[in-house]
Amino acid sequence: MKASVRKNFILLILATLITFVFLAPNLWMLFGSFKSQNAMFALPPVWIPDFTYIKNFTIMLSESYMYLINSIIVTICSTIVSLIFSLPTAFGLTFFKFKGRYFLADWILSTRMLPPVAAAVPLFILFKYLNLLDSLFALIIVYTAFNIPFAVWVSASFFKKIPIDLIEASRIEGASWFHIFLKIAIPLSKGGIATVAIFVFIFSWNELLIALFFTVSESRTFPIFISAQVSQAQIIWGNVAAATVIQSIPPILLTIFLQKNIVSGLTLGAVKN
Amino acid sequence: MISEKIQKLLFILPTCLFLLVISIFPFLYSVYLSLFQAKLTKMHKKFFIGWENYYVLLFEDDVFPTAIKNTFVIAFSSITIEIILGFIMAKIFFEIRHLKFSNTLRTITIMPIMLTPLCVGLVFLYILNPTLGIFSYILDTVFGIEPFAYLGESLPAKISVIAINSWQWTPFMMILLLAGLMTVPNEQYEAAKIDGANWFHVMTKIEIPSILSFVLLGVVLRLIECIRLFDIIYITTRGGPGISTEVMAFFTYRTEFRSFQVGSGSASAVIILIISLIVTTIAVTLLRRVEKNEGLS
């Protein structure tokens, strides 16, 4: 018994060390966001900053609130639109028996795996032609398209858990597919849908490449604003740290909610929890 | 009452049309553009040159071949590190899964996966900064190694990119393999104990065989991500110094949006596309097979 207690103790210490490795860099950045330019360059380093020094945050927020708002609008809209498109499709692919449904599902999945950089210029030309470049609308459309395949596959993996008898019983009672979708499938998969929504939200929130291609001034998203801070001749590290912290808050908070479903989501529904 | 057939179409058709326009059309248009000499700023003046862009990229210029090589070096090294460390970490978290705090520790450990890659790059740019970075300070005070611009020299820059990439994704491999270890039936462990098998036997004869499909899944999914690796490179090394951390996606971006060479950029995009298609076919087949067996669990 004693040996196993000791073993657990050692393992717990190892696990704590591992956790530290993955926490410390972020924590250091968080501390950095409370440092003045002088404290940044101090030697030996300032280990614990003065947490009442919030000038970095106020500067960043006043300079960038419009980009932050852009990011929020694009992220929320593309999350909602992705779900509006994906949920019915996932439902159809799960419950309709038609020829070629496996092929269709595979085709949808494969579009998720193609590199966005290969689509950037054609989309740039398309949106230029439609006069929609540098608009939030264009970003919403593109992010939605990139997220649909993921949302379809992962929602389908949740729809599959609904007992098929339930669907068939409603069919026999004469319920329409719309009714079954809205009144049975959606309420029964609430948790799964929330998982999909969180993932799609984070993917859109984190996106950089397409935003770099598409946004010039007004529709710049927050990540574009941050990356511009670093390309200046003199980097104000306190500001960069503050901006990084702001950008990191949603993914970190949302990961806590994902907990149980994170493996399932990251493997496109392949691993059940 | 809308007919059955139309109802079903309404469920599926909108998504298909949407994807055709925003996903499939662009890829096909890239193939078309790659056969032209074109500048993004003067698109009306493009002219057809056939395979010339591909020929130049692959055989006359060294940058793109280097980018392909770097992409795979980074992918291969990162994924190897992620599997080895991920497995060790999964084992540790597996052993303590019943203990208090183990959930909290695990949740904190997996945070990097969902972090904005741009921010991950910035965090390490800050840490690795030669004048104010904490890494330099520790290296200098503890080991007496003079700080230098780690991202400014070829090999250290490459190692840094691989390390940053692995730092973000090792937790993914860990939870994936942890899910795998959870599927090993308890009786097998009991049986091994009775037979007096040591930990090495348990690992090679019981654990590794049963998590192999999880490892495979992880490798394929990570490979797809590594092929499109962009954000970390963009913010930390910009492909440099020289072209020592140049990768395919960043090269394409530079060619298309810095030099506006859309034809040549599209050709490199198409090459990435072809490589991705090969990996994607494997991935989709694998996921479909897993899915037909009611998932890995």
Side-chain angles (χ1 to χ4, degrees), chain A residues 7-8 11-12 14-16 18-19 21-23 25-26 28-29 32 35 40-41 43-45 47 85-86 88-89 91-93 96-98 101-102 104-119 121-128 141-142 144-146 148-149 152-153 160 171 176-178 181 199 202 205-206 208-209 212-213 223 226-227 230 237 240 244 247-248 251-252 255-256 258-259 262-263 266-268 270-272, chain B residues 1-2 4 7-8 10-12 14-16 18-27 29-30 33 40 43 89 92-93 95-96 99-101 103 105-119 122-127 129 131-132 134 137-138 166-167 169-172 175-176 179 214 217 221 224-225 228 230-231 234-235 238 249 252-253 256-257 262 266 269 272-273 276-277 280 283-284 287-288 290-292 294-297:
Chain A
K7 189 182 144 205
N8 279 342
L11 286 169
L12 202 58
L14 283 175
T16 312
I18 290 168
T19 309
V21 169
F22 291 94
L23 177 67
N26 295 325
W28 190 240
M29 196 66 158
K35 287 181 186 172
M40 270 288 168
F41 284 93
L43 267 178
W47 294 105
F85 275 98
S86 311
T89 309
F91 178 85
L93 290 172
F96 303 163
K97 308 274 176 262
F98 60 93
R101 70 196 175 107
Y102 288 120
L104 192 62
D106 288 354
W107 174 72
I108 289 175
L109 176 63
S110 62
T111 61
R112 141 99 187 161
M113 304 192 174
L114 301 177
V117 72
V121 161
L123 288 174
F124 179 89
I125 295 168
L126 176 72
F127 284 115
K128 197 174 168 193
I141 296 286
V142 177
T144 301
F146 286 162
I148 283 178
V152 167
W153 261 69
K160 276 193 196 90
R171 288 298 293 161
S176 71
W177 283 116
F178 293 120
F181 172 66
F199 268 106
I202 297 176
W205 180 257
N206 287 351
L208 174 73
L209 178 76
L212 271 179
F213 273 87
I226 305 179
S227 66
V230 186
W237 275 104
V240 174
T244 305
Q247 168 74 21
S248 306
I252 286 181
T255 306
I256 297 170
L258 280 179
Q259 277 254 31
I262 196 164
V263 194
L266 288 168
T267 56
L268 294 130
V271 176
K272 309 280 184 280
Chain B
M1 195 65 195
I2 311 169
E4 175 91 12
Q7 269 197 45
K8 287 185 175 175
L10 281 174
F11 272 89
I12 291 176
T15 298
C16 296
F18 193 77
L19 287 180
L20 269 178
V21 176
I22 305 295
S23 260
I24 301 302
F25 150 78
F27 293 121
Y29 197 71
S30 276
L33 276 180
L40 192 58
M43 281 305 286
M89 285 160 55
I92 292 172
F93 277 98
E95 296 290 335
I96 62 162
L99 299 185
K100 247 193 204 170
F101 308 123
N103 257 333
L105 292 178
R106 204 184 55 222
T107 307
I108 298 172
T109 306
I110 63 177
M111 291 286 180
I113 308 173
M114 303 307 281
L115 273 184
T116 314
L118 173 79
C119 292
L122 282 170
V123 166
F124 283 94
L125 200 60
Y126 172 51
I127 289 174
N129 186 298
T131 39
L132 57 79
I134 189 75
Y137 177 76
I138 293 172
S166 314
W167 180 84
W169 288 99
T170 301
F172 163 67
I175 43 163
L176 182 60
F214 287 82
L217 183 66
L221 290 173
I224 289 165
E225 290 299 319
R228 53 166 83 160
F230 174 83
D231 303 29
Y234 176 82
I235 205 69
R238 299 209 157 226
T252 309
Y253 164 78
E256 287 175 338
F257 267 74
V262 188
S266 295
I272 304 178
L273 197 60
S276 302
L277 275 175
T280 299
V284 173
L287 283 166
R288 168 61 70 199
V290 166
E291 204 249 3
K292 276 194 178 142
E294 298 299 312
L296 290 174
S297 73

Side-chain angles (χ1 to χ4, degrees), chain A residues 76-200:
Chain A
I76 292 179
C77 290
S78 69
T79 306
I80 294 171
V81 181
S82 303
L83 289 182
I84 292 174
F85 275 98
S86 311
L87 292 176
T89 309
F91 178 85
L93 290 172
T94 314
F95 296 114
F96 303 163
K97 308 274 176 262
F98 60 93
K99 242 193 193 164
R101 70 196 175 107
Y102 288 120
F103 173 77
L104 192 62
D106 288 354
W107 174 72
I108 289 175
L109 176 63
S110 62
T111 61
R112 141 99 187 161
M113 304 192 174
L114 301 177
V117 72
V121 161
L123 288 174
F124 179 89
I125 295 168
L126 176 72
F127 284 115
K128 197 174 168 193
Y129 176 74
L130 298 173
N131 228 342
L132 286 168
L133 264 193
D134 203 16
S135 73
L136 298 181
F137 181 75
L139 281 185
I140 294 170
I141 296 286
V142 177
Y143 289 3
T144 301
F146 286 162
N147 280 320
I148 283 178
F150 172 87
V152 167
W153 261 69
V154 181
S155 326
S157 80
F158 286 111
F159 284 145
K160 276 193 196 90
K161 291 181 185 161
I162 299 171
I164 191 83
D165 303 349
L166 208 62
I167 308 284
E168 270 160 14
S170 317
R171 288 298 293 161
I172 292 164
E173 282 167 21
S176 71
W177 283 116
F178 293 120
H179 183 88
I180 297 174
F181 172 66
L182 290 173
K183 296 282 144 88
I184 299 174
I186 297 273
L188 282 178
S189 323
K190 263 191 231 142
I193 293 167
T195 303
V196 175
I198 292 176
F199 268 106
V200 172

Side-chain angles (χ1 to χ4, degrees), chain B residues 8-277:
Chain B
K8 287 185 175 175
L9 274 178
L10 281 174
F11 272 89
I12 291 176
L13 206 58
T15 298
C16 296
L17 292 177
F18 193 77
L19 287 180
L20 269 178
V21 176
I22 305 295
S23 260
I24 301 302
F25 150 78
F27 293 121
L28 294 177
Y29 197 71
S30 276
V31 177
Y32 168 80
L33 276 180
S34 70
L35 304 172
F36 286 81
Q37 161 107 46
K39 270 210 135 171
L40 192 58
T41 39
K42 294 183 213 138
M43 281 305 286
H44 52 282
K45 276 191 184 160
K46 63 175 189 287
F47 58 91
F48 186 81
I49 52 166
W51 300 105
E52 183 75 16
N53 285 325
Y54 291 93
Y55 186 80
V56 173
L57 272 183
L58 290 170
F59 304 110
E60 287 188 354
D61 196 60
D62 336 314
V63 184
F64 191 66
T66 310
I68 298 182
K69 201 189 88 199
N70 285 343
T71 306
F72 281 97
V73 168
I74 291 170
F76 183 78
S77 331
S78 308
I79 296 172
T80 310
I81 293 170
E82 288 161 27
I83 291 172
I84 296 170
L85 294 182
F87 179 72
I88 296 170
M89 285 160 55
K91 270 296 280 179
I92 292 172
F93 277 98
F94 180 72
E95 296 290 335
I96 62 162
R97 67 191 180 284
H98 304 300
L99 299 185
K100 247 193 204 170
F101 308 123
S102 114
N103 257 333
T104 316
L105 292 178
R106 204 184 55 222
T107 307
I108 298 172
T109 306
I110 63 177
M111 291 286 180
I113 308 173
M114 303 307 281
L115 273 184
T116 314
L118 173 79
C119 292
V120 173
L122 282 170
V123 166
F124 283 94
L125 200 60
Y126 172 51
I127 289 174
L128 293 174
N129 186 298
T131 39
L132 57 79
I134 189 75
F135 183 72
S136 298
Y137 177 76
I138 293 172
L139 220 55
D140 192 17
T141 46
V142 181
F143 301 102
I145 300 171
E146 278 286 297
F148 61 100
Y150 312 101
L151 298 174
E153 284 184 42
S154 179
L155 188 63
K158 239 180 225 158
I159 294 172
S160 302
V161 168
I162 292 167
I164 298 169
N165 198 17
S166 314
W167 180 84
Q168 180 164 28
W169 288 99
T170 301
F172 163 67
M173 211 56 100
M174 175 195 88
I175 43 163
L176 182 60
L177 299 185
L178 189 58
L181 287 174
M182 299 285 195
T183 65
V184 179
N186 226 339
E187 297 85 58
Q188 289 198 22
Y189 279 112
E190 300 291 331
K193 217 176 195 174
I194 293 164
D195 293 344
N198 60 20
W199 66 271
F200 185 76
H201 271 104
V202 173
M203 188 176 87
T204 50
K205 295 273 152 52
I206 299 175
E207 285 169 347
I208 292 184
S210 47
I211 60 167
L212 219 51
S213 50
F214 287 82
V215 175
L216 191 60
L217 183 66
V219 169
V220 174
L221 290 173
R222 284 292 296 127
L223 201 52
I224 289 165
E225 290 299 319
C226 284
I227 289 170
R228 53 166 83 160
L229 181 68
F230 174 83
D231 303 29
I232 289 176
I233 301 287
Y234 176 82
I235 205 69
T236 55
T237 64
R238 299 209 157 226
I243 53 168
S244 54
T245 57
E246 186 72 87
V247 290
M248 296 190 294
F250 189 72
F251 174 85
T252 309
Y253 164 78
R254 253 181 351 121
T255 315
E256 287 175 338
F257 267 74
R258 290 280 160 252
S259 349
F260 302 121
Q261 300 293 348
V262 188
S264 169
S266 295
S268 88
V270 170
I271 295 170
I272 304 178
L273 197 60
I274 292 167
I275 297 172
S276 302
L277 275 175

